[in-house]
Amino acid sequence: MVRIRVLVVDDHRIFAESLAAALAAEPDVDVSAAGSGPAALRCLERAVAEGRRFDVLLVDADLAAVAGAVPAQRDSGSGPPPGAADGIALVAGVRVTHPGVRTVVLAERDEPRRAALALQAGASGWVAKDCSLSRLLAVIRGVLREETHLPPALLTGVLRELTAARKHRTDSERLVESLTPREHEVLRCMVAGLGRKDVAARLFLSPHTVRTHMQNVLGKLGVHSTLAAVALARRAGVRPAELAGDVVERSGQLA
């Protein structure tokens, strides 16, 4: 018998333990539980080290935000979508660090926008917490067959949200394309979280020149802050500048 390894991630202990016990009664399911994002990541890493990887992660949509719940994804450029709650952010992190694990979000309410965010983050399903055990098992087995599961009542709303998100992405891509190569390079540094002095040192420019480039970037993107520029850049798929080594200053080469 092929066994399915499931990890339940929920900070409500009674719910997590009850769900784990119900799933464990199935002859082909092995189940564990974690009470936070960091605990879930530790479980996943330990399972990999022991050669017994998890197949499916069941994640509470409203998992309490905990520092360190999601690993930084600077070099991949694939962090959680703007507006994602911590449960959905965990889904985004797992997609990068454990791409073979299927994730299903467990939610108290049917919310088209958040369900769309979950799918964008890499989730394979969105299921009500009060659904029947048979329904949940069908979803678990379905996502392992590469299926995507949503409640029928959510389909129209989720499709509308995804279509709107695609339009925003297209608009963002068009704005980013208006940047010069140097401005695009500066934007990538902004996405990587570098401040003006670090950008200057990295690109061998003067801080005054970098300030001018940043102002031009904000103007062309039609935003008024670095945070807004970074959010727009991420929607457009702009990758952060790679930060493999320390920023090294070079004197005498200021533009």
Side-chain angles (χ1 to χ4, degrees), residues 16 18 42 44 47 53 76 85-86 111 114 137 146 179 202 219 236-237 241 247:
S18 298
R42 289 194 295 270
L44 290 170
R53 302 170 185 268
S76 70
D86 191 61
E111 301 176 78
R114 295 187 67 210
L137 287 167
E146 305 294 335
L179 303 179
R202 178 184 178 82
V247 175

Side-chain angles (χ1 to χ4, degrees), residues 74-149:
R74 274 183 170 173
D75 54 350
S76 70
S78 57
D86 191 61
I88 299 174
L90 177 62
V91 170
V94 169
R95 175 181 61 178
V96 175
T97 57
H98 300 276
V101 178
R102 299 289 175 265
T103 54
V104 175
V105 176
L106 304 177
E108 295 278 2
R109 300 169 300 281
D110 282 346
E111 301 176 78
R113 180 175 179 276
R114 295 187 67 210
L117 285 174
L119 294 183
Q120 289 177 303
S124 296
W126 175 282
V127 181
K129 277 192 170 184
D130 60 358
C131 75
S132 66
L133 181 61
S134 61
R135 166 63 180 161
L136 182 57
L137 287 167
V139 171
I140 290 172
R141 295 189 170 100
V143 298
L144 289 176
R145 296 191 297 268
E146 305 294 335
E147 297 172 0
T148 299
H149 284 259

Side-chain angles (χ1 to χ4, degrees), residues 181 201 205 222:
L205 301 172

